[in-house]
Amino acid sequence: MQLTDVWFILIAVLWTGYFVLEGFDFGVGVLLRVLGRDDTDRRVMINTIGPLWDGNEVWLIVAGGATFAAFPEWYASLFSGFYLALLLVLVALIGRGVAFEYRGKGDTARWRSTWDTVIVVCSVVPALLWGVAFANIVGGVPLDADHEFVGSLLTLLHPYALLGGVTTLLLFTLHGAVFLSLKTDGDIRVRARALAVRLGVGAVPVAAVFLAWTWLDHEGPVALALALVAALALVGGLLATTAGREGWAFTLTAATIVAATAFLFTSLYPFVLPSTIDPAFGLTTTNAASTPYTLTIMTWVAAVMTPVVLCYQAWTYWVFRRRISRSHIPTPAPTHEAPVGEHA
């Protein structure tokens, strides 16, 4: 196996980790006003992801940095062709972080309600656009002989890409609802579980259509196996949620995202960005890669630092593993909320 293949796999792993971990973050944000009947409920929901959301975004930063260093041609073509979409994602991620921090800085219901709306919108946008982006990456975009994107924003908004966006939005929202049922207690836990069942009923057929459409365009036994694993895990997660097995439900929705992301990268290989104009114009793991020397240095750095990062993040999840309920939120609420990440 060549280093270019190793780094393609590592980038796939980084995106998988990001979608699994940030996926439930997005889901919690999307559901903030749906499950949060009052300010106390919403504070409970925010506190479930308070210690985790910023650490989860590290996976995105590392994935972007690894793509830039290992496959600079891929990075350049992505950011030139997907510039507006990625800018919207970046603005949403910034707005979401600001909203988490500023929500508790005001004393009025209107202030908190405004930032709640920001959290919802800035969770929906990336959850939707990541699916649109990856559907375009797998399906291909118009690249010319110089590997330059020659389309427009509307070029990226075709039915397959929009279906990909709806699929990720539903999967992440379902993942977030299951996470809330696992991390909360009391009435909000019951409502989160019931909502997860309804979301699962909608997510299963949509995801099935997207997986089938993708496989028909990129046939292969490994891809088919991964698609079946993703579908079975999603159905299993729905059944586990219905049975009240929250730990299994979360594990299976996470497995769904892992298998689906692996399916997309498997369908993509050996390309990293196919061209719809001419397959010869597409970017592959070979013609988009950095020099062997650069990849060798990156491999040694990754071998040393990756275990450290994984251990630290695992420790964080272990420390903040307990359930949160309304009893952890003082009533009446203090003038300023506890900082995000602390159980008030």
Side-chain angles (χ1 to χ4, degrees):
M1 181 181 292
Q2 299 181 349
L3 283 178
T4 52
D5 296 330
V6 170
W7 275 97
F8 180 82
I9 294 172
L10 288 176
I11 289 172
V13 170
L14 290 170
W15 278 108
T16 301
Y18 174 68
F19 287 149
V20 170
L21 300 178
E22 190 83 316
F24 67 73
D25 280 357
F26 290 146
V28 172
V30 171
L31 297 173
L32 190 62
R33 284 190 172 277
V34 177
L35 287 176
R37 293 181 174 176
D38 56 23
D39 183 65
T40 303
D41 276 353
R42 290 190 283 272
R43 292 176 67 192
V44 169
M45 295 173 66
I46 291 173
N47 272 277
T48 62
I49 61 173
L52 309 173
W53 70 268
D54 49 355
N56 293 341
E57 289 188 350
V58 171
W59 290 79
L60 173 62
I61 297 170
V62 177
T67 303
F68 172 77
F71 301 101
E73 285 277 355
W74 185 15
Y75 184 91
S77 296
L78 278 177
F79 274 81
S80 61
F82 294 37
Y83 179 80
L84 183 56
L86 293 177
L87 178 62
L88 289 174
V89 170
L90 179 61
V91 170
L93 293 178
I94 292 172
R96 189 165 167 267
V98 171
F100 283 142
E101 298 297 334
Y102 274 75
R103 183 186 187 277
K105 305 302 182 183
D107 303 330
T108 65
R110 181 177 181 181
W111 172 271
R112 294 182 179 181
S113 178
T114 299
W115 288 113
D116 288 343
T117 301
V118 173
I119 292 172
V120 173
V121 173
C122 292
S123 297
V124 170
V125 169
L128 177 70
L129 290 184
W130 282 131
V132 173
F134 268 83
N136 275 288
I137 291 172
V138 174
V141 294
L143 294 179
D144 63 16
D146 296 323
H147 300 152
E148 293 184 1
F149 180 80
V150 293
S152 64
L153 177 63
L154 293 179
T155 306
L156 305 177
L157 301 179
H158 49 84
Y160 173 68
L162 295 175
L163 177 62
V166 173
T167 300
T168 54
L169 177 59
L170 284 173
L171 286 179
F172 292 164
T173 306
L174 169 63
H175 197 38
V178 172
F179 176 78
L180 285 171
S181 70
L182 180 67
K183 281 287 293 179
T184 60
D185 210 351
D187 184 55
I188 191 170
R189 174 186 178 185
V190 175
R191 286 187 278 114
R193 185 193 304 163
L195 180 59
V197 172
R198 295 196 296 272
L199 287 168
V201 171
V204 167
V206 173
V209 172
F210 178 70
L211 291 171
W213 191 339
T214 305
W215 185 79
L216 289 173
D217 289 339
H218 305 272
E219 295 182 1
V222 177
L224 177 60
L226 289 169
L228 291 175
V229 169
L232 291 174
L234 181 56
V235 173
L238 176 59
L239 294 175
T241 302
T242 304
R245 303 297 297 273
E246 294 150 347
W248 276 109
F250 183 75
T251 300
L252 288 168
T253 54
T256 301
I257 297 173
V258 169
T261 308
F263 166 70
L264 292 178
F265 275 92
T266 301
S267 301
L268 180 62
Y269 183 84
F271 286 96
V272 292
L273 190 61
S275 172
T276 55
I277 297 176
D278 187 332
F281 298 162
L283 291 170
T284 68
T285 56
T286 302
N287 64 18
S290 293
T291 64
Y293 182 71
T294 300
L295 294 177
T296 301
I297 294 176
M298 290 175 59
T299 303
W300 281 108
V301 172
V304 173
M305 297 304 300
T306 301
V308 175
V309 174
L310 291 176
C311 289
Y312 171 76
Q313 193 156 38
W315 176 81
T316 302
Y317 275 81
W318 176 256
V319 169
F320 294 100
R321 66 189 183 279
R322 298 186 183 280
R323 291 182 182 271
I324 304 171
S325 67
R326 293 176 64 95
S327 63
H328 293 99
I329 307 297
T331 51
T335 303
H336 295 293
E337 291 183 338
V340 172
E342 295 180 12
H343 296 178

